[in-house]
Amino acid sequence: MSTLDKLTQIDEVSVNGKSSRLPGFYKLDISERLEKLDDFFKLSTKEKWMLKKETLTAELADVMIENAVGVFGLPIGLAVNFKLNNKDYIIPMVVEESSVVAAASNAARLIRENGALTSESTDPIMISQIQIVDSPDPEAGKKRILEKKEDLLRLANKQDPVLVDLGGGAQDLDVRLLETESGTMIIVHLYVDTRDAMGANVVNTMAETLGPIIAEIADGDVICQIVSNYADKRMVKVKFVLDNVDCLARAGYSGEEAADRIIKAYHFADADPHRAATHNKGVMNGIDGVLIATGNDWRAVEAGVHAYAARDGRYRSVSKYYRDEKGKFVGELEIPMAVGIVGGVTNLHPGVKILLKVMNVETSMELAQVVATAGLIQNFAAIWTLATEGIQKGHMTLHARNVAIFAGAFGELAIKVANQMAHEGRVRYDRAKQILKPLLIKHREEEEQRKKREKK
Ligand code: MEV
C-alpha cells in the first residue's frame, strides 16, 4: 500500500476541532481575522494586541543583536486551507511580497478539494564538519580517527546529556580525504540527531570539543569546526497528487493542456540554471516567510536548498511535476530542511512564540514538513499561473495598489488608480501620479462641499 493510500485511511485531524478551509478569510479586516484565529487557538488579548501592534520590543532587540537601534516591521499573513497528511494547518508567513499568501491559500484549496498532500522526513540529523590540515600522512590519520570513533562519539555526547536523554545526540562519524589547493585535508563529518532544535549550537560545541583531539590523533592542525548548512541528512519530501487534471483548466486552456504546459515549464527549470534560480525562488517564497514567522534561520535553509539544487554539478529545479503511471498529476519537492521549534530565537521572540502556537506542530520534523509544503504549494501556484494566464495579471493588481499608495493615493482612490493601471497594463509610479492628480482634485472639491453643507 502506498504512503498516500495509507494516509488517506487515517482519521482527519482538524486544527483544534476546526477546518483550516476558511472561505472569505481574505475579506475580513485584521481584527476579524484575529478573532477567527482566536476560535482555533484561544489567544490572549495581549497576544492579539501584539500580533497587531508589536511582536518585538526595542529592549528585546537590544538583547538579540549588537548596536540595536529599533525593530523593523514586516506583514504577518496567514495561509489558509492547508491539509497535509490529513491534518489541517493555518500557516503563518512573514513576507513583504504581495500575492504570496493569497497564491498559497488558493493552491492549497485546489489541492485539498481535488487531491491530497502527503509528506515524510528523515530524523533531524545535522552534520558538523571538522577540517584537519597538514597531516603528514592523511591516509594513516584517517585510519587512526576511525579507530577512535566510539570514544569520539562518547565525548561528543558528554557535551549535551539532555539531548541524549531526549533520544538525540551524536550518532556517527565519517572521515574523508579532500584534495584542495592547500593539499590533502582530512574532513570529519559528525552526525548528530538534534531532535526538536535546529541544532547549530550543539553541533558546533561538539565539533569544537572534538577538533583539537582529532587534530592530535591525525598529527595535523584543525581549522574549521562548524555545522554544515547543506543538511542533506535532514531531508523532507512533500508530494501532492490530483485526482484528475480538470481543476487545472485556466485562461482558456483545458485541464489536460494546462497540466502539459506545467510539466514543460518544470522541464525548462530543470534543464536551465537561469530559469531554475527563479523557479526555486518561487519555492523559497513559500518557505522563507514561514521560517521567519517561526524564528528559524532562513539563510541556513536557503543555503542548504540551493546546494542541494546543484548536487549533480548543475543547478536544477528542486521540485518535480509529472504524470504518474495512472496518469495522475503529481507535484513533488525534496529538500534539506534544518528547522527547530525549541532553542535560539524561538525561546526569545514573543511574536515567534505566538506564531508557533498557530503553527500547531509537535516536533521539528513536523515543522519541516509543513514548511516544505508551503514551498511546494507556492511553487505550484507560480508555475501553474506562468503556464496559463501569465504572472503579471494577478501580480499587477496587487502591485498596482502598492504603487498607487506610494504615489499618494488612499482608500477608494488607491483602488481606482490601481484598477486603471492594471487595466492599461502600465503599473508605474509616474502613471499613478497622472491618474491620481484629477481624482485628488475632485476628491478635495467634494470634501469641501461636504464640509460646507455640514456647516449650514
Ligand atoms: C516571484 O516572486 C516568483 C516567480 O518568479 C517564481 C517563478 O517564476 O516560478 C513567479
Side-chain angles (χ1 to χ4, degrees):
M1 189 188 278
S2 73
T3 316
L4 182 67
D5 291 336
K6 270 188 241 157
L7 283 163
T8 41
Q9 292 185 349
I10 295 172
D11 285 347
E12 300 213 353
V13 187
S14 49
V15 193
N16 293 341
K18 297 192 169 69
S19 164
S20 72
R21 169 85 188 94
L22 294 175
F25 190 66
Y26 69 99
K27 291 185 194 150
L28 306 177
D29 67 24
I30 290 187
S31 300
E32 288 168 332
R33 288 191 199 119
L34 282 169
E35 287 313 316
K36 257 266 175 277
L37 201 57
D38 206 17
D39 284 353
F40 290 92
F41 300 107
K42 293 285 159 259
L43 300 177
S44 69
T45 311
K46 185 168 177 210
E47 285 174 327
K48 283 183 271 182
W49 178 87
M50 283 167 68
L51 285 179
K52 214 165 148 180
K53 301 279 184 202
E54 182 185 70
T55 49
L56 182 67
T57 59
E59 288 70 31
L60 249 175
D62 204 21
V63 176
M64 285 170 74
I65 66 158
E66 313 72 39
N67 298 352
V69 291
V71 294
F72 184 86
L74 276 174
I76 306 168
L78 296 178
V80 295
N81 305 331
F82 277 79
K83 184 185 260 189
L84 172 68
N85 300 334
N86 271 332
K87 176 173 171 182
D88 273 58
Y89 293 92
I90 293 173
I91 305 184
M93 290 181 166
V94 171
V95 61
E96 88 299 346
E97 186 173 329
S98 51
S99 75
V100 166
V101 177
S105 304
N106 288 337
R109 174 187 163 190
L110 177 118
I111 291 167
R112 79 181 283 145
E113 287 174 356
N114 297 283
L117 253 168
T118 56
S119 63
E120 54 192 83
S121 66
T122 63
D123 280 340
I125 307 290
M126 292 300 279
I127 302 169
S128 201
Q129 299 192 289
I130 299 163
Q131 174 198 15
I132 308 291
V133 299
D134 299 335
S135 169
D137 185 347
E139 196 60 65
K142 173 179 171 178
K143 195 162 164 270
R144 288 199 298 276
I145 298 167
L146 285 172
E147 280 163 7
K148 295 274 178 210
K149 181 165 143 174
E150 292 311 319
D151 293 342
L152 290 166
L153 291 177
R154 239 189 322 273
L155 182 59
N157 279 330
K158 275 200 180 146
Q159 308 313 306
D160 199 333
V162 176
L163 180 63
V164 176
D165 281 351
L166 289 170
Q171 299 200 330
D172 202 1
L173 168 158
D174 69 26
V175 190
R176 254 177 326 136
L177 298 186
L178 187 69
E179 296 311 324
T180 76
E181 268 188 61
S182 306
T184 308
M185 295 179 187
I186 303 175
I187 307 298
V188 177
H189 278 191
L190 182 66
Y191 300 105
V192 185
D193 182 328
T194 61
R195 293 287 92 197
D196 283 332
M198 185 274 191
N201 248 330
V202 60
V203 304
N204 289 344
T205 305
M206 288 178 175
E208 288 197 355
T209 306
L210 299 194
I213 297 165
I214 292 178
E216 205 181 308
I217 297 171
D219 202 9
D221 197 8
V222 63
I223 303 186
C224 296
Q225 306 154 86
I226 185 82
V227 66
S228 169
N229 288 131
Y230 183 15
D232 63 347
K233 298 280 182 230
R234 195 170 186 170
M235 297 294 292
V236 55
K237 189 170 176 179
V238 198
K239 177 175 177 176
F240 71 80
V241 183
L242 295 179
D243 299 332
N244 67 63
V245 291
D246 295 347
C247 58
L248 296 177
R250 189 166 169 190
Y253 294 105
S254 69
E256 284 293 338
E257 286 166 341
D260 188 47
R261 290 173 68 84
I262 293 171
I263 291 168
K264 285 180 177 146
Y266 149 62
H267 287 160
F268 174 26
D270 204 42
D272 176 55
H274 280 89
R275 174 60 204 144
T278 324
H279 178 98
N280 291 345
K281 190 267 183 182
V283 174
M284 301 316 292
N285 269 351
I287 289 180
D288 285 349
V290 193
L291 295 177
I292 299 172
T294 55
N296 276 287
D297 183 345
W298 71 96
R299 286 92 55 213
V301 174
E302 282 271 356
V305 169
H306 296 298
Y308 187 69
R311 67 195 178 284
D312 302 337
R314 188 182 82 221
Y315 185 86
R316 302 173 66 166
S317 160
V318 283
S319 62
K320 281 191 184 131
Y321 295 91
Y322 59 93
R323 305 289 287 260
D324 70 9
E325 63 288 350
K326 292 183 193 145
K328 294 200 172 191
F329 184 87
V330 182
E332 225 173 76
L333 176 70
E334 190 173 11
I335 44 173
M337 183 57 67
V339 289
I341 55 169
V342 295
V345 175
T346 55
N347 291 349
L348 210 59
H349 193 297
V352 165
K353 285 188 198 163
I354 305 172
L355 295 176
L356 269 174
K357 197 161 147 181
V358 172
M359 183 56 88
N360 198 23
V361 293
E362 280 170 21
T363 61
S364 69
M365 291 180 274
E366 186 181 355
L367 177 61
Q369 294 175 40
V370 179
V371 172
T373 300
L376 174 64
I377 295 310
Q378 193 68 45
N379 171 240
F380 166 65
I383 194 172
W384 180 35
T385 306
L386 279 172
T388 53
E389 72 177 27
I391 214 77
Q392 282 309 74
K393 193 167 170 250
H395 253 213
M396 275 303 145
T397 323
L398 288 161
H399 174 56
R401 212 169 53 196
N402 291 345
V403 173
I405 291 168
F406 187 51
F410 47 87
E412 280 293 305
L413 293 188
I415 295 171
K416 277 189 185 157
V417 174
N419 285 348
Q420 179 65 27
M421 286 194 294
H423 175 71
E424 292 172 4
R426 268 202 298 170
V427 180
R428 288 199 323 249
Y429 178 75
D430 56 334
R431 183 63 190 135
K433 281 263 183 212
Q434 272 173 2
I435 302 171
L436 179 62
K437 203 171 167 189
L439 292 176
L440 213 49
I441 294 170
K442 193 164 164 239
H443 174 78
R444 284 189 191 129
E445 284 169 1
E446 283 171 0
E447 276 296 288
E448 271 177 27
Q449 279 169 8
R450 189 181 56 78
K451 278 183 195 153
K452 273 185 200 157
R453 274 198 308 277
E454 278 173 10
K455 266 190 192 162
K456 274 184 193 166

